[in-house]
Amino acid sequence: MLERKEYATILAFDVKVTPEARELADETGVKIFITDIIYHLFDQFKAYIDNLKEEKKKEATKDAVFPCVLKIMLNCIFNKKDPIVLGVDVLEGIAKVGTPICIPSRDFIDIGRIASIEINHKQVDIEKKGQKVAIKIASTNVEEQQKMYGRKFEIDDELVSHISRKSIDPLKSNYRDDLFIEEWKLVVKLKTLFKIQ
């Protein structure tokens, strides 16, 4: 079970663990839970598993890209060049800070990553379908020419999260329960759009 850290455990209920056994467990990376009350044993193990899941999510955050489709709102272009600041309507999915944004209608041109999201003058990290928010999109590549609103894209262009196979896999393995069915359907729709196998 050492291959999967969460299962490399020993649950010791109402027994003593010898110092030799504890030392061997520490050397091999096995976690031992000891208690005289069965419910406490369950609670300790569950807290351990939950903590491991959170650690995996944090590690996957940089690679996982949440699906979203954004519509630029009329008269809500606050800054046309890097960083681009726009008012958008979240048409589908989840807008999340760090999401790479591209424009499929313009040959999938990348315009940067969402650097911040603001709703009612308050910073948030994530917003879902149906919300109208202001987003700041910062360029990710300094050497590349800046993508400017009015030149590279217009108000009718939809902004879409730029997903890839590399971003879908950590999303599936770490955020499966955090996305609703309609958001997974959007992932499938975007896979077709980006021709991802």
Side-chain angles (χ1 to χ4, degrees), residues 45-80:
F45 182 68
K46 185 172 179 342
Y48 173 72
I49 294 295
D50 291 345
N51 189 32
L52 286 177
K53 283 182 183 175
E54 284 304 311
E55 285 177 19
K56 282 184 180 180
K57 275 186 182 181
K58 284 179 186 171
E59 288 173 16
T61 297
K62 64 182 180 299
D63 295 326
V65 174
F66 284 67
C68 70
V69 177
L70 311 172
K71 175 79 178 128
I72 303 168
M73 295 189 310
L74 194 61
N75 300 322
C76 291
I77 293 87
F78 306 112
N79 196 33
K80 293 182 177 187

Side-chain angles (χ1 to χ4, degrees), residues 5-13 15-35 41 44-45 48:
K5 187 177 177 182
E6 63 268 28
Y7 298 123
T9 58
I10 295 174
L11 305 179
F13 169 60
V15 294
K16 298 226 184 282
V17 177
T18 65
E20 295 85 17
R22 188 178 295 281
E23 189 178 314
L24 181 61
D26 289 343
E27 286 174 13
T28 58
V30 173
K31 180 94 169 137
I32 300 177
F33 297 95
I34 308 164
T35 184
L41 191 62
Q44 287 177 10
F45 182 68
Y48 173 72

Side-chain angles (χ1 to χ4, degrees), residues 126-195:
I126 195 165
E127 252 338 307
K128 294 192 172 210
K129 175 182 175 178
Q131 291 293 332
K132 292 177 176 17
V133 296
I135 62 170
K136 181 192 294 183
I137 302 171
S139 177
T140 53
N141 192 342
V142 180
E143 296 152 16
E144 206 175 287
Q145 183 184 5
Q146 291 180 343
K147 312 303 187 289
M148 185 174 158
Y149 174 83
R151 280 199 191 146
K152 296 291 184 178
F153 64 102
E154 300 290 336
I155 196 151
D156 295 330
D157 294 316
E158 283 185 341
L159 309 177
V160 176
S161 57
H162 195 162
I163 66 167
S164 65
R165 172 53 55 201
K166 186 181 174 193
S167 71
I168 294 171
D169 291 340
L171 193 67
K172 280 183 181 176
S173 58
N174 297 291
Y175 294 94
R176 184 174 299 278
D177 298 335
D178 295 351
L179 273 67
F180 291 112
I181 290 172
E182 68 180 29
E183 289 148 357
W184 284 115
K185 286 181 180 175
L186 179 57
V187 170
V188 172
K189 181 177 153 185
L190 293 179
K191 276 176 63 176
T192 304
L193 180 69
F194 287 102
K195 296 180 174 68

Side-chain angles (χ1 to χ4, degrees), residues 77-94:
I77 293 87
F78 306 112
N79 196 33
K80 293 182 177 187
K81 57 184 178 178
D82 196 27
I84 300 166
V85 181
L86 308 165
V88 296
D89 186 1
V90 183
L91 296 180
E92 294 182 78
I94 300 171

